[in-house]
Amino acid sequence: MKQLLTGNEAAAEAAIQAGCRYYYGYPITPQNELINYMAIRMPQVGGTFIQAESEIAAINMVYGSAAAGGRAMTSSSSPGISLKQEAISYLAGSELPCVIVNIQRGGPGLGDISASQADYFQAVKGGGHGDYHLIVLAPSSVQEMADLVYDAFDLADKHRNPVMILGDAQIGQLMEPMEFSKKPREVFPLKDWALTGAEGRKRNVIKSFYPIKGQLEEFNAHLQKKYRTIREHEVRYEAINIHGADIVLVAYGTSARICKEVVKKSHQSEFKVGLIRPITLWPFPEQVIKTMSERVQCILTVEMSAGQMVEDVRLAVEGKCPVHFYGRTGGGVPTSLEIMRKIAEVVPSNLIDKVNRILPLVEVK
Amino acid sequence: MQSLYKKPKTLIDTPTHFCPGCGHGIVLRLIAEIIDAWNIRGRTIGLAPVGCAVLAYNYLDIDMCEAAHGRPPAVATGIKRVHPDHMVFAYQGDGDLAAIGTAEIIHAANRGENITFIFVNNAVYGMTNGQMAPTTLLGQKTITTPSGREPLNYGHPIRICELLAVLDGSSYLERVSISSPENIRKTKKALEKGFKTQREKKGFSLIEILSPCPIYWRMDANESMRYIDEEMTRTFPLGVVKDWEHKN
Ligand SMILES: Cc1ncc(C[n+]2csc(CCOP(=O)(O)OP(=O)(O)O)c2C)c(N)n1
Ligand code: SF4
Ligand SMILES: [Mg+2]
């Protein structure tokens, strides 16, 4: 059954469907619909909802419930996610599964409350201290928000790793028809490591402290091995018209929605625009980008930031073709016309005529 | 032969990392004795702090959890919500509970979390070389108050029990010390009362324990105990501060 929901509400309900029964949050725009929804919904399913005293407390409550074996979630927006970073590092260091939703807003500082993708570095490069990775999922529609939040809990349990949903104010507050197509989760993976009371077994200890020389390096080696497995098996992306494309755009989330418009418009002309939309930002779909870069004349990365994911695109491409960037910051959202103009600016001279022919198509809209 | 004194089963037989004369070992042992006596090893979950007792999980043979510095009340809340019928306690130092984690303890108390907090007040930061704690006495010399704590720059010692007592959510608050066998027995009673508060679902309990740090007090073990009795208790008077069983 289709229903009309905001991305924030869809994320909340999907968590419930996935069996999340512990939600801890702190109000911040633009994710308020999520915490508000949970306040009503969690008691209905016998779950726990706490409006914590801070984002720090909320994420540490998640830490506790995850350590105790529950499916736990918190959500926030950029400044609040910054506050959570210490505990996120602890979660990664204690290998605790949980889901953290970041509905990004503009920064730095208090910034503003409009959509942004400027927390990419923070999400995929660590954010907190130490050598760790979150699995980072980036929805670009309300439907995908629901699907990814549901999957996030399974991925977290499967790899004993925190998962971040990296949305933005547009995806969070936008209303779209969607449906919950997956069955509510009733059976959960066994967590024999969890804190349940040591009745009839050896005690379990959840910790990230390795004071004895050599142990921490060993533990890090274990983490790195796990990350390699995740890199090999969990990459997700969407590729549209990349074969025979004159230029390929790389964009995620809200930026990718706009890039899709450009791809569609280019259908009507002889200048072909393709799109790679990373769905997992970590692990990053580097292989497909690398392979594509060997066939295409150039790549344009589009972001609502001053240029963050573009660094990972360049790392994947390893100089095989030029990688250009178009970004808007501080709540600015790229338009398809702006993207087309940027394309016209960066394509090799032999393609300029083709591009100029499709520019009017975009301009008329 | 009659055995008068033996190691509690819940206390793991291993050398501890505490300095000679430290109070942490005594408190951990009392916790182990109670877990044995109440036969609740299988239904107890403990939280270790970041501080000198960080390795508490190496000494107590129960399910245990680490928490970031100051965050045990939040982490314990998350655990307790998953296992509401388990005994959940958090062990915290004064830096952990009364400085970096002040917000977390106040709000756990305010929510009336049915959890027992064991608050070891040694008036210094032991773990990081003996800097001033929020509970450092006026005039007390520490590495960061080399001429003694004076209120103008460094503020006053914080009395946590009294602070939490004004919150409607707190149920049982008592300050004890481990300066003598008699006081240790009283401390054990207070800990039992804290566990009882939780078992009977009466809500938030906190036992503040005045405990020696001979190393950073720069005293020997005996002097430390005397210091607790003669100096510390003047700022931190012993006794029940709040008790759900005897509402005043
Ligand atoms: C975020 C953070 N800040 C600082 C520290 C360093 N640190 C470790 S223990 C500690 C103070 C411990 O003092 P207290 O809580 O009184 O415990 P004690 O060692 O005296 O038992 C500090 C500041 C840390 N581990 N994490
Ligand atoms: S530094 Fe003080 S509190 Fe820490 S172990 Fe030594 S005596 Fe105990
Ligand atoms: Mg201390």
Side-chain angles (χ1 to χ4, degrees):
Chain A
M1 188 192 59
K2 289 251 184 208
Q3 40 187 316
L4 200 58
L5 285 182
T6 63
N8 285 330
E9 292 162 328
E13 183 57 34
I16 303 267
Q17 300 293 320
C20 170
R21 289 296 178 271
Y22 306 94
Y23 172 85
Y24 308 101
Y26 188 87
I28 184 170
T29 310
Q31 64 84 56
N32 289 324
E33 295 80 12
L34 208 168
I35 176 171
N36 298 349
Y37 188 96
M38 283 300 201
I40 295 168
R41 199 65 178 104
M42 268 302 177
Q44 291 173 353
V45 295
T48 291
F49 167 86
I50 295 182
Q51 179 175 331
E53 60 270 29
S54 68
E55 287 86 354
I56 297 176
I59 187 79
N60 280 286
M61 289 172 189
V62 165
Y63 184 101
S65 290
R71 283 196 156 180
M73 174 162 118
T74 185
S75 61
S76 188
S77 177
S78 310
I81 296 291
S82 293
L83 273 180
K84 291 181 194 290
Q85 291 303 328
E86 182 201 31
I88 290 175
S89 165
Y90 274 70
L91 283 157
S94 306
E95 300 198 84
L96 290 178
C98 67
V99 176
I100 303 145
V101 179
N102 181 3
I103 303 299
Q104 295 171 92
R105 55 188 257 181
L110 198 51
D112 74 357
I113 58 166
S114 49
S116 165
Q117 295 181 319
D119 301 349
Y120 177 93
F121 282 155
Q122 187 194 52
V124 309
K125 306 288 177 191
H129 56 286
D131 269 322
Y132 75 89
H133 282 291
L134 302 178
I135 297 172
V136 183
L137 307 174
S140 85
S141 66
V142 173
Q143 180 65 56
E144 195 177 32
M145 173 67 95
D147 295 344
L148 290 181
V149 167
Y150 189 98
D151 290 354
F153 283 94
D154 288 339
L155 283 170
D157 279 347
K158 181 175 167 195
H159 297 289
R160 274 193 72 177
N161 206 69
V163 177
M164 178 172 280
I165 303 287
L166 194 65
D168 62 59
Q170 291 256 13
I171 303 291
Q173 296 184 313
L174 172 81
M175 274 188 134
E176 280 181 327
M178 56 79 61
E179 65 185 326
F180 295 100
S181 46
K182 303 186 186 185
K183 272 216 211 98
R185 256 265 184 275
E186 274 152 13
V187 187
F188 301 100
L190 179 76
K191 298 180 178 177
D192 57 2
W193 47 263
L195 306 177
T196 57
E199 194 69 68
R201 61 160 169 78
K202 274 179 63 183
R203 76 207 156 99
N204 284 336
V205 175
I206 299 291
K207 65 170 181 92
S208 60
F209 187 45
Y210 294 91
I212 295 170
K213 189 126 188 75
Q215 278 188 355
L216 182 57
E217 192 157 25
E218 221 172 90
F219 174 70
N220 268 284
H222 157 76
L223 278 186
Q224 291 305 318
K225 193 170 153 217
K226 175 169 96 175
Y227 298 149
R228 275 195 298 279
T229 310
I230 296 172
R231 273 201 178 97
E232 276 161 31
H233 298 288
E234 306 297 0
V235 170
R236 300 187 193 187
Y237 61 87
E238 183 187 10
I240 308 175
N241 296 349
I242 58 170
H243 297 288
D246 294 306
I247 187 170
V248 170
L249 306 176
V250 183
Y252 71 95
T254 293
S255 302
R257 289 172 76 103
I258 302 148
C259 287
K260 270 190 193 173
E261 284 297 306
V262 175
V263 171
K264 235 196 255 162
K265 296 260 164 63
S266 83
H267 269 327
Q268 306 157 30
S269 80
E270 69 222 87
F271 180 76
K272 297 296 175 214
V273 182
L275 170 69
I276 290 180
R277 177 174 74 87
I279 297 170
T280 51
L281 297 180
W282 198 92
F284 193 67
E286 49 202 14
Q287 197 52 50
V288 62
I289 291 174
K290 182 177 170 195
T291 314
M292 172 270 290
S293 71
E294 285 158 6
R295 297 192 301 249
V296 79
Q297 302 225 30
C298 67
I299 290 172
L300 175 65
T301 303
V302 180
E303 294 176 59
M304 280 138 58
S305 81
Q308 300 193 13
M309 182 178 72
V310 65
E311 292 192 4
D312 284 333
V313 176
R314 289 197 175 116
L315 280 172
V317 168
E318 285 181 328
K320 293 199 181 66
C321 78
V323 176
H324 303 281
F325 173 72
Y326 183 70
R328 293 283 305 271
T329 64
V333 178
T335 64
S336 36
L337 180 58
E338 286 166 10
I339 295 169
M340 260 334 287
R341 287 202 175 127
K342 185 71 188 180
I343 291 173
E345 194 185 308
V346 302
V347 287
S349 48
N350 60 323
L351 291 170
I352 295 246
D353 280 353
K354 272 208 224 170
V355 177
N356 282 341
R357 257 171 272 144
I358 89 158
L359 257 176
L361 289 174
V362 181
E363 266 163 284
V364 197
K365 166 91 193 164
Chain B
M1 201 172 57
Q2 193 194 352
S3 143
L4 290 175
Y5 190 83
K6 62 176 197 277
K7 183 189 77 63
K9 256 190 6 223
T10 299
L11 200 63
I12 295 169
D13 194 3
T14 181
T16 74
H17 70 286
F18 301 121
C19 315
C22 176
H24 280 303
I26 298 173
V27 180
L28 287 171
R29 181 196 160 91
L30 293 178
I31 296 169
E33 284 178 3
I34 297 170
I35 291 171
D36 279 9
W38 290 32
N39 197 18
I40 52 170
R41 176 193 175 266
R43 281 168 293 122
T44 301
I45 301 173
L47 279 111
V50 169
C52 277
V54 62
L55 292 175
Y57 46 73
N58 284 354
Y59 310 137
L60 294 177
D61 182 29
I62 54 172
D63 273 10
M64 283 201 76
C65 195
E66 172 186 273
H69 193 25
R71 316 303 170 207
V75 175
T77 297
I79 293 175
K80 187 71 179 181
R81 296 305 168 110
V82 179
H83 302 298
D85 296 324
H86 279 37
M87 192 69 78
V88 176
F89 71 86
Y91 187 109
Q92 296 190 258
D94 38 47
D96 202 60
L97 185 141
I100 195 168
T102 321
E104 282 77 8
I105 196 67
I106 285 181
H107 287 275
N110 200 42
R111 287 189 304 268
E113 291 295 338
N114 191 34
I115 296 167
T116 305
F117 292 86
I118 300 165
F119 171 40
V120 177
N121 176 357
N122 57 11
V124 283
Y125 282 21
M127 179 85 159
T128 44
N129 311 130
Q131 296 90 345
M132 180 189 74
T135 48
T136 293
L137 304 183
L138 291 183
Q140 185 183 335
K141 285 187 182 167
T142 69
I143 278 190
T144 49
T145 53
S147 7
R149 182 180 193 174
E150 46 94 8
L152 208 57
N153 271 320
Y154 297 99
H156 299 263
I158 294 181
R159 284 182 278 268
I160 282 292
C161 284
E162 288 79 352
L163 190 73
L164 297 178
V166 299
L167 301 175
D168 293 338
S170 61
S171 296
Y172 168 63
L173 305 164
E174 181 168 1
R175 187 179 292 114
V176 291
S177 97
I178 50 170
S179 61
S180 67
E182 190 198 342
N183 277 334
I184 291 173
R185 272 194 294 278
K186 282 189 190 155
T187 297
K188 186 169 173 183
K189 274 225 169 71
L191 291 171
E192 282 169 337
K193 177 70 182 267
F195 279 19
K196 179 181 167 197
T197 304
Q198 189 176 161
R199 192 177 57 192
E200 299 192 8
K201 301 210 186 303
K202 298 296 182 192
F204 183 94
S205 55
L206 179 142
I207 300 96
E208 175 173 346
I209 304 172
L210 306 186
S211 172
C213 174
I215 296 300
Y216 291 116
W217 292 1
R218 306 215 177 333
M219 294 176 194
D220 67 26
N222 281 331
E223 278 171 333
S224 299
M225 296 309 190
R226 226 174 301 130
Y227 184 77
I228 292 178
D229 287 342
E230 288 167 14
E231 298 297 329
M232 266 188 107
T233 52
R234 288 204 287 173
T235 301
F236 300 110
L238 304 185
V240 175
V241 178
K242 193 171 185 180
D243 185 353
W244 52 275
E245 271 184 312
H246 303 99
K247 285 235 166 81
N248 32 357

